[in-house]
Amino acid sequence: MSTPDASQIETFQMLAWKWNVTAAKQHTADREPEGSLDPANWAGMLFLIRIDHEYAATVDLAEPLIAVPIPDAGWLIIDGWHRIHKALTAGVEKLPVIVLTPEEELACRIHGGEERELRP
């Protein structure tokens, strides 16, 4: 298997933090969701996310969202904002979610966080 070049890597950025979503999907490929979340609890953050409404209409709500732990702040969705938008539009109250471990989050993080937390 070849290594994807930068144009083939899906990323998510929130403020100064950025993650490799392609790598996060590799970490979660064979995992079952640990639980679910209510998309209404995340609706207030949608104004920070650029949503492609046509694409959002096509997403599969059964595909788990991917979240990462943020030190001293809880966790953040890094993959699944179009699913959250579609769920809110369709009145769906629960979406499956997989939360990366702190080690997986660090392995997927491109930048952000404190200097001591950055991978070599």
Side-chain angles (χ1 to χ4, degrees):
M1 182 167 87
S2 64
T3 303
D5 67 37
S7 69
Q8 298 171 315
I9 296 173
E10 182 182 357
T11 62
F12 176 77
Q13 183 161 349
M14 177 63 71
L15 303 173
W17 296 65
K18 187 173 186 178
W19 293 270
N20 179 331
V21 174
T22 302
K25 287 180 179 181
Q26 291 170 348
H27 283 285
T28 63
D30 297 325
R31 287 172 40 191
E32 292 294 319
E34 288 101 12
S36 61
L37 62 78
D38 182 347
N41 292 337
W42 295 83
M45 290 188 65
L46 276 174
F47 77 96
L48 297 170
I49 310 295
R50 193 182 89 222
I51 297 294
D52 177 335
H53 297 277
E54 289 182 24
Y55 172 70
T58 70
V59 296
D60 179 2
L61 297 181
E63 180 182 346
L65 308 174
I66 300 175
V68 295
I70 304 295
D72 303 319
W75 44 276
L76 176 68
I77 304 298
I78 64 165
D79 181 58
W81 288 100
H82 285 88
R83 281 169 268 155
I84 289 172
H85 171 79
K86 181 177 180 178
L88 290 167
T89 303
V92 174
E93 296 180 5
K94 295 289 178 191
L95 291 175
V97 63
I98 297 173
V99 181
L100 296 183
T101 66
E103 295 78 20
E104 291 169 334
E105 181 278 324
L106 189 58
C108 296
R109 190 186 320 159
I110 296 169
H111 60 76
E114 295 181 20
E115 192 67 30
R116 64 181 164 76
E117 295 178 301
L118 294 178
R119 61 189 158 136

PDB file of all heavy atoms in Angstrom, residues 54-70:
ATOM      1  N   GLU A  54     -25.151  20.162  -0.065  1.00  0.00           N
ATOM      2  CA  GLU A  54     -25.403  19.072  -1.016  1.00  0.00           C
ATOM      3  C   GLU A  54     -24.714  17.793  -0.561  1.00  0.00           C
ATOM      4  O   GLU A  54     -25.291  16.712  -0.610  1.00  0.00           O
ATOM      5  CB  GLU A  54     -24.952  19.472  -2.419  1.00  0.00           C
ATOM      6  CG  GLU A  54     -25.842  20.523  -3.052  1.00  0.00           C
ATOM      7  CD  GLU A  54     -25.401  20.879  -4.461  1.00  0.00           C
ATOM      8  OE1 GLU A  54     -24.730  20.064  -5.119  1.00  0.00           O
ATOM      9  OE2 GLU A  54     -25.730  21.987  -4.897  1.00  0.00           O
ATOM     10  N   TYR A  55     -23.473  17.915  -0.132  1.00  0.00           N
ATOM     11  CA  TYR A  55     -22.749  16.738   0.359  1.00  0.00           C
ATOM     12  C   TYR A  55     -23.407  16.202   1.632  1.00  0.00           C
ATOM     13  O   TYR A  55     -23.578  14.991   1.796  1.00  0.00           O
ATOM     14  CB  TYR A  55     -21.278  17.079   0.613  1.00  0.00           C
ATOM     15  CG  TYR A  55     -20.536  15.955   1.291  1.00  0.00           C
ATOM     16  CD1 TYR A  55     -20.249  14.781   0.610  1.00  0.00           C
ATOM     17  CD2 TYR A  55     -20.163  16.057   2.628  1.00  0.00           C
ATOM     18  CE1 TYR A  55     -19.593  13.734   1.245  1.00  0.00           C
ATOM     19  CE2 TYR A  55     -19.510  15.019   3.265  1.00  0.00           C
ATOM     20  CZ  TYR A  55     -19.225  13.857   2.572  1.00  0.00           C
ATOM     21  OH  TYR A  55     -18.589  12.829   3.207  1.00  0.00           O
ATOM     22  N   ALA A  56     -23.777  17.087   2.533  1.00  0.00           N
ATOM     23  CA  ALA A  56     -24.389  16.667   3.794  1.00  0.00           C
ATOM     24  C   ALA A  56     -25.641  15.819   3.564  1.00  0.00           C
ATOM     25  O   ALA A  56     -25.911  14.890   4.319  1.00  0.00           O
ATOM     26  CB  ALA A  56     -24.723  17.879   4.655  1.00  0.00           C
ATOM     27  N   ALA A  57     -26.384  16.116   2.517  1.00  0.00           N
ATOM     28  CA  ALA A  57     -27.595  15.349   2.223  1.00  0.00           C
ATOM     29  C   ALA A  57     -27.284  13.906   1.844  1.00  0.00           C
ATOM     30  O   ALA A  57     -28.152  13.039   1.929  1.00  0.00           O
ATOM     31  CB  ALA A  57     -28.378  16.027   1.101  1.00  0.00           C
ATOM     32  N   THR A  58     -26.032  13.614   1.466  1.00  0.00           N
ATOM     33  CA  THR A  58     -25.663  12.270   0.998  1.00  0.00           C
ATOM     34  C   THR A  58     -24.964  11.410   2.042  1.00  0.00           C
ATOM     35  O   THR A  58     -24.733  10.233   1.800  1.00  0.00           O
ATOM     36  CB  THR A  58     -24.738  12.365  -0.232  1.00  0.00           C
ATOM     37  OG1 THR A  58     -23.462  12.872   0.173  1.00  0.00           O
ATOM     38  CG2 THR A  58     -25.332  13.233  -1.321  1.00  0.00           C
ATOM     39  N   VAL A  59     -24.628  11.972   3.190  1.00  0.00           N
ATOM     40  CA  VAL A  59     -23.826  11.219   4.161  1.00  0.00           C
ATOM     41  C   VAL A  59     -24.634  10.132   4.852  1.00  0.00           C
ATOM     42  O   VAL A  59     -25.854  10.222   4.972  1.00  0.00           O
ATOM     43  CB  VAL A  59     -23.167  12.153   5.206  1.00  0.00           C
ATOM     44  CG1 VAL A  59     -22.187  13.091   4.544  1.00  0.00           C
ATOM     45  CG2 VAL A  59     -24.197  12.913   6.015  1.00  0.00           C
ATOM     46  N   ASP A  60     -23.928   9.103   5.319  1.00  0.00           N
ATOM     47  CA  ASP A  60     -24.533   7.958   5.991  1.00  0.00           C
ATOM     48  C   ASP A  60     -24.507   8.190   7.501  1.00  0.00           C
ATOM     49  O   ASP A  60     -23.436   8.218   8.113  1.00  0.00           O
ATOM     50  CB  ASP A  60     -23.739   6.700   5.629  1.00  0.00           C
ATOM     51  CG  ASP A  60     -24.261   5.436   6.277  1.00  0.00           C
ATOM     52  OD1 ASP A  60     -25.289   5.485   6.997  1.00  0.00           O
ATOM     53  OD2 ASP A  60     -23.639   4.383   6.061  1.00  0.00           O
ATOM     54  N   LEU A  61     -25.670   8.343   8.103  1.00  0.00           N
ATOM     55  CA  LEU A  61     -25.747   8.615   9.539  1.00  0.00           C
ATOM     56  C   LEU A  61     -25.359   7.407  10.398  1.00  0.00           C
ATOM     57  O   LEU A  61     -25.148   7.554  11.602  1.00  0.00           O
ATOM     58  CB  LEU A  61     -27.135   9.105   9.921  1.00  0.00           C
ATOM     59  CG  LEU A  61     -27.561  10.432   9.301  1.00  0.00           C
ATOM     60  CD1 LEU A  61     -28.954  10.833   9.787  1.00  0.00           C
ATOM     61  CD2 LEU A  61     -26.552  11.529   9.585  1.00  0.00           C
ATOM     62  N   ALA A  62     -25.234   6.234   9.792  1.00  0.00           N
ATOM     63  CA  ALA A  62     -24.805   5.052  10.538  1.00  0.00           C
ATOM     64  C   ALA A  62     -23.282   5.020  10.714  1.00  0.00           C
ATOM     65  O   ALA A  62     -22.777   4.309  11.580  1.00  0.00           O
ATOM     66  CB  ALA A  62     -25.265   3.779   9.828  1.00  0.00           C
ATOM     67  N   GLU A  63     -22.550   5.795   9.918  1.00  0.00           N
ATOM     68  CA  GLU A  63     -21.093   5.844  10.053  1.00  0.00           C
ATOM     69  C   GLU A  63     -20.742   6.606  11.329  1.00  0.00           C
ATOM     70  O   GLU A  63     -21.185   7.737  11.528  1.00  0.00           O
ATOM     71  CB  GLU A  63     -20.465   6.540   8.844  1.00  0.00           C
ATOM     72  CG  GLU A  63     -18.960   6.614   8.916  1.00  0.00           C
ATOM     73  CD  GLU A  63     -18.338   7.350   7.744  1.00  0.00           C
ATOM     74  OE1 GLU A  63     -19.021   7.584   6.738  1.00  0.00           O
ATOM     75  OE2 GLU A  63     -17.149   7.701   7.869  1.00  0.00           O
ATOM     76  N   PRO A  64     -19.940   6.002  12.202  1.00  0.00           N
ATOM     77  CA  PRO A  64     -19.624   6.675  13.468  1.00  0.00           C
ATOM     78  C   PRO A  64     -18.838   7.972  13.279  1.00  0.00           C
ATOM     79  O   PRO A  64     -17.978   8.069  12.400  1.00  0.00           O
ATOM     80  CB  PRO A  64     -18.770   5.649  14.225  1.00  0.00           C
ATOM     81  CG  PRO A  64     -19.066   4.345  13.583  1.00  0.00           C
ATOM     82  CD  PRO A  64     -19.389   4.653  12.150  1.00  0.00           C
ATOM     83  N   LEU A  65     -19.153   8.942  14.108  1.00  0.00           N
ATOM     84  CA  LEU A  65     -18.352  10.151  14.193  1.00  0.00           C
ATOM     85  C   LEU A  65     -17.031   9.774  14.864  1.00  0.00           C
ATOM     86  O   LEU A  65     -16.961   8.781  15.583  1.00  0.00           O
ATOM     87  CB  LEU A  65     -19.063  11.197  15.057  1.00  0.00           C
ATOM     88  CG  LEU A  65     -20.512  11.534  14.716  1.00  0.00           C
ATOM     89  CD1 LEU A  65     -21.077  12.468  15.775  1.00  0.00           C
ATOM     90  CD2 LEU A  65     -20.619  12.139  13.352  1.00  0.00           C
ATOM     91  N   ILE A  66     -16.006  10.580  14.655  1.00  0.00           N
ATOM     92  CA  ILE A  66     -14.732  10.373  15.349  1.00  0.00           C
ATOM     93  C   ILE A  66     -14.463  11.606  16.193  1.00  0.00           C
ATOM     94  O   ILE A  66     -14.507  12.734  15.698  1.00  0.00           O
ATOM     95  CB  ILE A  66     -13.573  10.136  14.369  1.00  0.00           C
ATOM     96  CG1 ILE A  66     -13.837   8.890  13.505  1.00  0.00           C
ATOM     97  CG2 ILE A  66     -12.248   9.984  15.138  1.00  0.00           C
ATOM     98  CD1 ILE A  66     -12.795   8.653  12.416  1.00  0.00           C
ATOM     99  N   ALA A  67     -14.194  11.360  17.472  1.00  0.00           N
ATOM    100  CA  ALA A  67     -13.891  12.441  18.409  1.00  0.00           C
ATOM    101  C   ALA A  67     -12.510  12.215  19.005  1.00  0.00           C
ATOM    102  O   ALA A  67     -12.017  11.078  19.046  1.00  0.00           O
ATOM    103  CB  ALA A  67     -14.946  12.492  19.519  1.00  0.00           C
ATOM    104  N   VAL A  68     -11.898  13.306  19.443  1.00  0.00           N
ATOM    105  CA  VAL A  68     -10.592  13.230  20.100  1.00  0.00           C
ATOM    106  C   VAL A  68     -10.667  13.913  21.460  1.00  0.00           C
ATOM    107  O   VAL A  68     -11.401  14.883  21.629  1.00  0.00           O
ATOM    108  CB  VAL A  68      -9.473  13.886  19.255  1.00  0.00           C
ATOM    109  CG1 VAL A  68      -9.247  13.134  17.963  1.00  0.00           C
ATOM    110  CG2 VAL A  68      -9.758  15.352  18.983  1.00  0.00           C
ATOM    111  N   PRO A  69      -9.902  13.390  22.429  1.00  0.00           N
ATOM    112  CA  PRO A  69      -9.834  14.072  23.722  1.00  0.00           C
ATOM    113  C   PRO A  69      -8.926  15.292  23.604  1.00  0.00           C
ATOM    114  O   PRO A  69      -7.864  15.230  22.995  1.00  0.00           O
ATOM    115  CB  PRO A  69      -9.220  13.014  24.648  1.00  0.00           C
ATOM    116  CG  PRO A  69      -8.414  12.135  23.734  1.00  0.00           C
ATOM    117  CD  PRO A  69      -9.134  12.151  22.412  1.00  0.00           C
ATOM    118  N   ILE A  70      -9.377  16.399  24.159  1.00  0.00           N
ATOM    119  CA  ILE A  70      -8.574  17.625  24.206  1.00  0.00           C
ATOM    120  C   ILE A  70      -8.161  17.814  25.666  1.00  0.00           C
ATOM    121  O   ILE A  70      -9.025  17.896  26.544  1.00  0.00           O
ATOM    122  CB  ILE A  70      -9.390  18.850  23.723  1.00  0.00           C
ATOM    123  CG1 ILE A  70      -9.945  18.628  22.325  1.00  0.00           C
ATOM    124  CG2 ILE A  70      -8.560  20.130  23.816  1.00  0.00           C
ATOM    125  CD1 ILE A  70      -8.908  18.505  21.246  1.00  0.00           C
TER     126      ILE A  70
END
